[in-house]
Amino acid sequence: MPERDLQYLTELAAQLRVDSVRAAAEAGSGHPTSSMSAADLMAVLFACHLRYDFEHPGNPANDHLIFSKGHASPLLYALLKAAGAIDDKELLTFRKRGSRLEGHPTPRLPWVDVATGSLGQGLPVGVGVAMAGRLERLPYRVWVLCGDSELAEGSIWEAAEHAGSEGLANLTAIVDVNRLGQRGPTRHGWDTGAYARRFGAFGWHTIEIDGHDPGQIDYALGDARNTRRRPTVILAKTRKGEGALEVENREGAHGKPLKEPDKAVEELGGYREARVEVHEPDEAPAPYRFEGGPMSLPAYEVGDKVATRAAFGEALAALGAARGDVVALDGEVADSTKAEAFAKEFPERFFEMYIAEQQLVAAAVGLQVRGWVPYAATFAAFLTRAYDFIRMAGVSRASIRLVGSHAGVSIGEDGPSQMGLEDLAMLRAVYGSTVLYPCDANQAAALTAEMADIDGVSYLRTTRGSTPVIYPPGERFPVGGSRVLRQSHEDRATIVAAGVTVHEALAAADELRDAGVPVGVIDLYSVKPVDIAALAEAATTTGNLITVEDHRMEGGLGDAVMDAVSELGPRVVKLAVTGLPASATPEEQLALARIDRHAIADAVKRLL
Amino acid sequence: MPERDLQYLTELAAQLRVDSVRAAAEAGSGHPTSSMSAADLMAVLFACHLRYDFEHPGNPANDHLIFSKGHASPLLYALLKAAGAIDDKELLTFRKRGSRLEGHPTPRLPWVDVATGSLGQGLPVGVGVAMAGRLERLPYRVWVLCGDSELAEGSIWEAAEHAGSEGLANLTAIVDVNRLGQRGPTRHGWDTGAYARRFGAFGWHTIEIDGHDPGQIDYALGDARNTRRRPTVILAKTRKGEGALEVENREGAHGKPLKEPDKAVEELGGYREARVEVHEPDEAPAPYRFEGGPMSLPAYEVGDKVATRAAFGEALAALGAARGDVVALDGEVADSTKAEAFAKEFPERFFEMYIAEQQLVAAAVGLQVRGWVPYAATFAAFLTRAYDFIRMAGVSRASIRLVGSHAGVSIGEDGPSQMGLEDLAMLRAVYGSTVLYPCDANQAAALTAEMADIDGVSYLRTTRGSTPVIYPPGERFPVGGSRVLRQSHEDRATIVAAGVTVHEALAAADELRDAGVPVGVIDLYSVKPVDIAALAEAATTTGNLITVEDHRMEGGLGDAVMDAVSELGPRVVKLAVTGLPASATPEEQLALARIDRHAIADAVKRLL
């Protein structure tokens, strides 16, 4: 590398440090030292290797850069300034109310694909973006800046396994091994060999360098670009707070502005206004998309018994035929979730993520970055494994579709470890989420198709066992709607159910009607948003609501109903799972949990 | 190994297979083929290496055996029969209602430490049990039977990292590499070398063997027992369904009984009643316990401003001085959670788990298996990373104490990735959980101490910023209680708050009182269980409740209140976080989320 270039890169890195220090000083908080350690790495990446058109962040040929160590946001924003994407005035709005430059990066910035800040997530999401690049046959590269602390997260090794085994050569992890975590030294300190052995064992090309030497960095990034059939990890030994004596390589200097920022800026050579001309990408072919066709959802005959999970699988396959942008992923249980129906028809758009639910969800997030419409399925119970990823998908405004099968005690003999009993609570609490819970096969098919167009995180809850088909094929079930299944002017209460309990509610209503107690039944298939109007009408006409759900008492259907009608003041009785189930048949489980037809009828009688 | 012994081991393994086939056949479900692959491994372990007193499962000298592949429960139950712990009649109750022999093992059986069945959890919990053994200076060994599929879980590599780095030589993972997952081949098939490279890179002693050869198994288990300073993983190549032609090494034979069980039993040599005499452990010294002393909780003066997280840390340190059985763990943020106060006083009882929240919770579960009283702390937001482990801790009836700091939007500038906004919903939905949310330092200290005696999963939610001390030192705050902070006969509504919003509620009540609208204020520090009596009184006297919480609208404090009073029919208005926060000061955050004093006062006025 010519002397002139080296000098420029050193200057650029110094400016990135200066601007990181300035931004945090102005904000009065932030992570300047975690930014300073990675400044040389990013300076060389931007100046020499990144291919990105900052004026057109949607250019499909653009590389993708993910700050997995999201707390190094000052560095990212300093880079955006150097690249001319933002100006110095905006840089100094860092962490202020209304600023796009949040404490941790979010996609409010058009150059940011996903929100980071919960460590160990950027790399798994980067795997998803790299999978998308392969799928759409684009030559872009995915660069992920990781911290060394976050390599302790298991999700990093799920990503390492998937990328290594799939040979995602378009993915490069750049690890800023600055030796210091938040509260002290990391487990492996500067032992880059410890990390290299681990990544190497997972099939990665590994490069260990001095992360403050532009020549070594340039070589490593070039080596990564030229490596075939394997992802590359660059393990760069750095010093946290590099360049400012007050903080350089010192403990206790994490996540706070410098005490003497002006002095540090001076040490770093003062304020600069260097620009970096990031190479625009070569013109790339149009992203490959699979062909679509007419939509032909499966149709089930009223009265037949079909599991909603089976209808989901068949509907997903139908959706795959209709839309070339739909992709599916599963956590090694596609024969149970029934995503296998899609996998058989469209193997090139199906991703077996094995039993790694965090990577399953992260891959879905990564695929949607590039406009794909992902459905990710596993047991409802095991989606709890990925809750932090689902939460962050909400923060990323990512549009992903999650499908959880084997919901509730009604799975039967397998016992509580396999029962999704917290999933409604978990998914309802996610920002911008939609939660759907069909009770029959035609409804499940319709909702599966509808999810393709839902923004944000959406969730379909399916049932293991077969349930009677009660709706004719072709009916519509809009998000936020409900269905009144029993209603009369004499109704003395209204039962609100969803999924498997709809059938119990119908049986209870029939039993009660025969006993001279007419009650209404609402199928609340849209658990979030709920049909406030229909619930309000029931609340005001009968004044008595009984909710029944195959889920824990907290945070599910019953809470959603109460929330909808709370200002109207009806009496609401919730039936839900309170104890700890063990093994039993599905029918026994419903009875033992007191959410079957008899328990519902009893509850109505007690209430009246 | 003498011929006679080999023959006996082969016979014993055949019996384990026969009984696995019989139990699943009788149940009509279950996982016999996943049991059959590991039968030789477990036969040799029980006959030659396990040290266990089945009549006294509480004997501290006992080894610990965890079936991380919990679906191989038929094998575990067949082993219990062979060891004389259960009889054949009970074996055949497998998966039936009321039986202790559940679809996946749970601690309803006295020989089972923890529930398994959510894959990738047994090994991390085993790490915790091994940590306990080192802490209490007992010579027991921890044996964990893993499946090969579950090695895809990131949590396995969190466990590998912790055990390898800590040199937990008392831990042995036995991996049943049967090549077939649920829906087909695993990623690495029979390539035990792929797994050996990975575990080796994480610092483990690795042994690759034929898992159906008793001699090799015996050698490997002995080698594991004799290995110092490193944990051992035995990678055993096996055939799923070994011994029965119908299923042996065949796809599509997962998780179901054999079609022709009688034929398989015949192939396997027929029904047997062999016994295995498991060696009882040598008499061990009494478990080491740290000394306790008098309890002296920190005291804070009313009117001072102290963060509840700081009070938690100081109280935990005080608790550590009082009780020798209290231990603490943290996810590399002890300077933020303030668990560092404990770490400084009791370094030998503090465990730095680095940024690996699944292993953090699993280690707590493992430590409580041996009677320790663990407190595990990280940011509330990052506990979402471990939700499946928390859920399973509930199923295990494990007594663990979780502490989540930096709850809510009130953290300020760091933004949504760091804000715990779903934690109340998540924790409330866990079986048998207790959820506490203090508003001042003395209350936080009292609740921290009280948690030590709570059974099951308990959770303390702490706040980043300083809040005024409103309770004098020494007051009691029983679980399930609340505090009425403002009350008069003229109250027209009652504000129910907890944590940071208590102070906003008090300010709103003062403002409203001055405006001629007297309202009551309840501090609902116990979010689960809630104080139904106090809420019912407020509901019936004022008839109007306003709940306000620094948490999402779904599943938190507001839902808990509505649930408590739903049958009384008051009007309830919930104030909670609905939008997606960005960076702003804590005060701005509360205002923007409409949960500050002004928003509360407005809500009261609108309601009236």
Side-chain angles (χ1 to χ4, degrees):
Chain A
M1 188 174 279
E3 186 62 32
R4 197 184 60 81
D5 289 2
L6 273 181
Q7 192 181 335
Y8 165 72
L9 291 170
T10 304
E11 284 288 308
L12 177 60
Q15 170 171 317
L16 298 174
R17 291 191 174 95
V18 164
D19 283 347
S20 297
V21 169
R22 291 173 63 234
E26 183 73 19
S29 67
H31 299 76
T33 58
S34 307
S35 298
M36 295 160 86
S37 52
D40 298 295
L41 294 165
M42 290 299 104
V44 181
L45 178 69
F46 268 57
C48 310
H49 297 279
L50 187 70
R51 296 290 178 267
Y52 200 93
D53 175 358
F54 278 91
E55 290 195 6
H56 301 98
N59 182 341
N62 280 345
D63 280 358
H64 292 263
L65 170 63
I66 299 173
F67 266 47
S68 194
K69 54 176 294 187
H71 56 290
S73 54
L75 174 60
L76 178 63
Y77 305 148
L79 286 160
L80 292 176
K81 175 190 146 183
I86 65 171
D87 59 20
D88 193 66
K89 192 176 154 201
E90 182 167 9
L91 178 73
L92 298 182
T93 65
F94 177 50
R95 286 178 165 248
K96 296 221 169 70
R97 175 177 169 179
S99 171
R100 298 187 297 178
L101 310 187
E102 298 191 44
H104 296 77
T106 78
R108 288 176 72 187
L109 287 168
W111 312 282
V112 170
D113 288 332
V114 289
T116 51
S118 179
L119 290 170
Q121 299 213 11
L123 189 61
V125 171
V127 167
V129 181
M131 289 162 64
R134 182 183 278 190
L135 194 61
E136 54 200 352
R137 304 175 193 174
L138 284 178
Y140 66 71
R141 297 199 58 79
V142 182
W143 308 95
V144 181
L145 178 67
C146 294
D148 48 352
S149 277
E150 68 176 320
L151 301 187
E153 287 283 11
S155 57
I156 290 287
W157 302 103
E158 294 184 9
E161 179 69 279
H162 195 85
S165 297
E166 297 294 320
L168 294 177
N170 54 348
L171 176 70
T172 304
I174 305 166
V175 186
D176 176 22
V177 185
N178 66 21
R179 187 187 73 83
L180 290 172
Q182 169 174 325
R183 59 109 268 328
T186 59
R187 176 126 53 190
H188 298 296
W190 273 325
D191 182 4
T192 52
Y195 300 119
R197 284 193 297 280
R198 287 158 173 74
F199 275 102
F202 280 91
W204 289 52
H205 175 46
T206 66
I207 312 173
E208 296 170 62
I209 60 167
D210 173 348
H212 298 312
D213 179 332
Q216 288 192 36
I217 298 167
D218 179 55
Y219 171 80
L221 293 170
D223 192 11
R225 286 171 67 186
N226 291 322
T227 297
R228 301 278 168 269
R229 292 187 300 282
R230 282 188 294 169
T232 298
V233 59
I234 297 168
L235 295 152
K237 187 177 156 186
T238 62
R239 284 178 297 276
K240 200 162 176 170
E242 166 77 2
L245 273 178
E246 178 194 325
V247 290
E248 187 177 291
N249 197 28
R250 282 181 203 273
E251 292 192 37
H254 178 94
K256 52 181 87 158
L258 273 61
K259 292 194 190 88
E260 299 187 88
D262 293 343
K263 194 170 160 195
V265 169
E266 198 179 319
E267 273 179 76
L268 289 159
Y271 178 78
R272 288 175 187 77
E273 290 198 329
R275 281 291 296 273
V276 59
E277 295 297 332
V278 174
H279 289 264
E280 290 190 13
D282 297 333
E283 205 165 316
Y288 182 82
R289 287 289 186 265
F290 298 91
E291 273 186 36
M295 173 79 132
S296 175
L297 278 183
Y300 305 94
E301 273 194 46
V302 171
D304 280 3
K305 292 193 81 176
V306 184
T308 52
R309 61 177 169 141
F312 152 71
E314 290 172 7
L316 187 62
L319 193 64
R323 294 178 58 147
D325 57 355
V326 168
V327 297
L329 311 92
D330 195 279
E332 221 275 279
V333 288
D335 53 334
S336 286
T337 63
K338 300 303 179 190
E340 67 179 2
F342 182 97
K344 279 178 190 154
E345 297 285 332
F346 308 104
E348 70 280 23
R349 280 189 272 158
F350 175 78
F351 300 94
E352 176 57 77
M353 303 307 294
Y354 297 93
I355 308 181
E357 294 82 5
Q358 298 184 88
Q359 182 59 68
L360 170 74
V361 172
V365 171
L367 285 158
Q368 66 86 43
V369 163
R370 287 287 314 127
W372 297 94
V373 177
Y375 285 71
T378 184
F379 281 32
F382 305 142
L383 283 173
T384 57
R385 199 64 155 259
Y387 192 25
D388 199 20
F389 284 78
I390 300 170
R391 175 182 80 87
M392 287 297 293
V395 177
S396 290
R397 294 87 160 162
S399 292
I400 60 170
R401 292 132 206 98
L402 303 174
V403 182
S405 70
H406 293 64
V409 300
S410 70
I411 65 164
E413 290 82 356
D414 269 324
S417 64
Q418 318 293 303
M419 293 171 174
L421 285 170
E422 304 81 6
D423 53 324
L424 295 178
M426 170 173 92
L427 267 303
R428 282 182 67 237
V430 170
Y431 170 73
S433 65
T434 301
V435 178
L436 305 170
Y437 184 16
C439 71
D440 93 339
N442 286 319
Q443 193 178 49
L447 292 173
T448 299
E450 200 168 336
M451 285 171 89
D453 296 315
I454 298 177
D455 286 334
V457 174
S458 56
Y459 175 56
L460 185 79
R461 185 182 215 229
T462 68
T463 301
R464 175 174 180 269
S466 296
T467 44
V469 177
I470 61 171
Y471 297 111
E475 300 217 353
R476 288 199 60 242
F477 299 95
V479 168
S482 69
R483 283 299 184 97
V484 176
L485 292 174
R486 295 278 192 282
Q487 190 177 31
S488 79
H489 292 301
E490 288 78 42
D491 286 347
R492 298 181 57 195
T494 305
I495 308 169
V496 185
V500 70
T501 60
V502 166
H503 307 283
E504 301 301 318
L506 290 173
D510 292 346
E511 182 188 322
L512 288 163
R513 182 198 53 214
D514 295 346
V517 186
V519 296
V521 175
I522 292 177
D523 168 15
L524 198 72
Y525 63 83
S526 180
V527 179
K528 182 185 175 188
V530 288
D531 189 343
I532 296 177
L535 293 170
E537 193 193 323
T540 46
T541 53
T542 73
N544 293 308
L545 300 182
I546 293 95
T547 68
V548 53
E549 64 197 298
D550 193 357
H551 182 271
R552 293 244 164 253
M553 189 64 86
E554 298 85 6
L557 175 88
D559 281 1
V561 170
M562 287 208 288
D563 187 53
V565 300
S566 60
E567 299 192 33
L568 302 170
R571 292 201 301 166
V572 184
V573 171
K574 277 164 59 177
L575 302 181
V577 180
T578 54
L580 186 55
S583 286
T585 66
E587 297 69 29
E588 288 170 343
Q589 298 280 14
L590 292 175
L592 289 165
R594 303 286 302 150
I595 55 172
D596 70 339
R597 54 199 66 190
H598 308 301
I600 298 170
D602 287 352
V604 170
K605 287 175 198 160
R606 271 202 315 278
L607 180 65
L608 304 175
Chain B
M1 189 174 279
E3 185 63 31
R4 197 184 59 80
D5 289 1
L6 272 181
Q7 192 180 334
Y8 165 72
L9 291 170
T10 304
E11 284 288 309
L12 177 59
Q15 170 172 316
L16 297 174
R17 292 191 173 95
V18 164
D19 283 348
S20 297
V21 169
R22 290 173 63 235
E26 183 73 19
S29 66
H31 299 77
T33 59
S34 307
S35 299
M36 295 160 86
S37 52
D40 299 294
L41 294 165
M42 291 298 104
V44 180
L45 177 70
F46 269 57
C48 309
H49 296 278
L50 187 70
R51 296 288 178 269
Y52 200 94
D53 175 359
F54 279 90
E55 291 195 6
H56 302 98
N59 183 339
N62 280 344
D63 281 357
H64 293 262
L65 170 63
I66 298 173
F67 267 46
S68 194
K69 54 176 293 186
H71 55 289
S73 54
L75 174 60
L76 177 64
Y77 306 148
L79 285 160
L80 292 176
K81 176 190 145 183
I86 65 170
D87 61 20
D88 194 67
K89 193 176 154 201
E90 182 167 9
L91 178 73
L92 298 182
T93 66
F94 177 50
R95 285 177 165 249
K96 295 217 170 72
R97 175 178 168 176
S99 171
R100 298 188 295 179
L101 309 187
E102 298 191 44
H104 296 76
T106 78
R108 289 178 69 188
L109 287 168
W111 312 282
V112 171
D113 288 330
V114 288
T116 51
S118 179
L119 291 170
Q121 299 211 11
L123 188 60
V125 170
V127 167
V129 181
M131 289 162 64
R134 182 182 280 190
L135 194 62
E136 56 200 351
R137 305 175 192 175
L138 285 177
Y140 65 71
R141 298 199 58 80
V142 182
W143 308 93
V144 181
L145 178 66
C146 295
D148 46 354
S149 277
E150 69 176 319
L151 301 188
E153 288 283 12
S155 57
I156 290 288
W157 302 102
E158 293 184 11
E161 179 68 278
H162 195 85
S165 297
E166 296 294 319
L168 295 177
N170 54 349
L171 175 69
T172 304
I174 305 166
V175 186
D176 177 22
V177 185
N178 66 23
R179 186 186 74 82
L180 291 171
Q182 170 174 323
R183 60 108 265 331
T186 59
R187 178 127 50 189
H188 299 295
W190 273 326
D191 181 6
T192 52
Y195 301 120
R197 284 192 297 277
R198 287 157 174 74
F199 275 102
F202 280 90
W204 288 52
H205 175 45
T206 66
I207 312 172
E208 297 170 62
I209 60 167
D210 173 349
H212 298 312
D213 179 330
Q216 289 191 34
I217 299 168
D218 179 54
Y219 170 80
L221 293 170
D223 192 11
R225 286 171 66 185
N226 292 323
T227 297
R228 300 279 169 269
R229 290 186 303 280
R230 283 188 295 168
T232 298
V233 58
I234 298 168
L235 296 152
K237 187 177 157 186
T238 62
R239 284 178 298 274
K240 199 161 175 171
E242 167 78 2
L245 272 178
E246 179 196 323
V247 290
E248 187 177 293
N249 197 27
R250 281 181 204 271
E251 292 192 38
H254 178 93
K256 51 182 89 159
L258 274 62
K259 291 194 190 87
E260 299 186 88
D262 293 344
K263 196 172 158 194
V265 169
E266 198 178 315
E267 272 179 76
L268 289 160
Y271 179 78
R272 286 173 188 78
E273 292 196 327
R275 280 292 295 272
V276 59
E277 296 299 331
V278 174
H279 289 264
E280 291 190 11
D282 296 334
E283 205 164 318
Y288 181 81
R289 288 287 186 265
F290 297 91
E291 272 186 38
M295 172 78 131
S296 175
L297 276 184
Y300 305 94
E301 273 195 47
V302 171
D304 280 2
K305 291 193 81 175
V306 183
T308 53
R309 60 176 170 143
F312 151 72
E314 290 172 7
L316 187 63
L319 193 64
R323 293 179 58 148
D325 56 356
V326 168
V327 296
L329 312 92
D330 195 280
E332 220 274 280
V333 287
D335 53 335
S336 286
T337 63
K338 302 301 179 190
E340 66 180 3
F342 183 97
K344 278 177 190 154
E345 297 285 331
F346 309 105
E348 68 281 24
R349 281 189 269 158
F350 174 78
F351 300 95
E352 177 56 76
M353 303 308 293
Y354 298 92
I355 309 181
E357 293 82 4
Q358 298 184 89
Q359 182 59 69
L360 170 73
V361 173
V365 171
L367 284 158
Q368 66 85 45
V369 163
R370 286 288 313 127
W372 296 94
V373 178
Y375 285 70
T378 184
F379 281 31
F382 305 142
L383 282 173
T384 57
R385 199 63 155 260
Y387 194 24
D388 199 20
F389 283 78
I390 300 170
R391 176 183 80 88
M392 287 298 293
V395 177
S396 289
R397 293 90 159 160
S399 292
I400 60 170
R401 292 133 206 96
L402 303 174
V403 182
S405 70
H406 292 65
V409 299
S410 70
I411 64 164
E413 291 81 357
D414 269 325
S417 65
Q418 318 293 303
M419 293 171 173
L421 285 170
E422 304 80 8
D423 54 323
L424 295 178
M426 171 172 92
L427 267 302
R428 282 181 68 235
V430 169
Y431 170 73
S433 65
T434 301
V435 178
L436 306 170
Y437 183 15
C439 70
D440 93 340
N442 285 319
Q443 193 179 49
L447 292 174
T448 299
E450 200 168 337
M451 285 172 89
D453 296 315
I454 297 178
D455 286 333
V457 174
S458 55
Y459 175 55
L460 185 79
R461 185 183 215 229
T462 67
T463 300
R464 175 175 181 271
S466 296
T467 44
V469 177
I470 61 171
Y471 297 110
E475 299 217 355
R476 288 201 60 244
F477 299 96
V479 168
S482 67
R483 281 300 183 98
V484 176
L485 292 174
R486 294 279 190 282
Q487 190 176 31
S488 79
H489 291 301
E490 288 78 41
D491 285 348
R492 298 180 58 194
T494 306
I495 307 169
V496 185
V500 70
T501 59
V502 166
H503 307 284
E504 301 300 320
L506 291 173
D510 292 346
E511 180 188 323
L512 288 163
R513 182 199 55 214
D514 295 345
V517 185
V519 297
V521 175
I522 292 177
D523 168 15
L524 198 72
Y525 64 82
S526 179
V527 179
K528 180 186 177 188
V530 288
D531 188 342
I532 296 177
L535 292 170
E537 194 193 322
T540 46
T541 53
T542 72
N544 293 308
L545 300 182
I546 292 95
T547 67
V548 54
E549 64 197 297
D550 193 358
H551 181 272
R552 294 245 163 252
M553 189 63 87
E554 298 85 6
L557 174 88
D559 281 1
V561 170
M562 287 209 285
D563 188 54
V565 299
S566 60
E567 299 191 33
L568 302 170
R571 291 199 301 165
V572 184
V573 171
K574 277 165 58 178
L575 301 181
V577 180
T578 55
L580 186 54
S583 286
T585 66
E587 296 69 30
E588 288 170 342
Q589 298 280 14
L590 293 175
L592 289 165
R594 305 282 306 147
I595 55 173
D596 70 340
R597 53 200 66 191
H598 308 300
I600 298 169
D602 287 351
V604 170
K605 288 175 197 159
R606 270 202 315 279
L607 180 65
L608 304 176

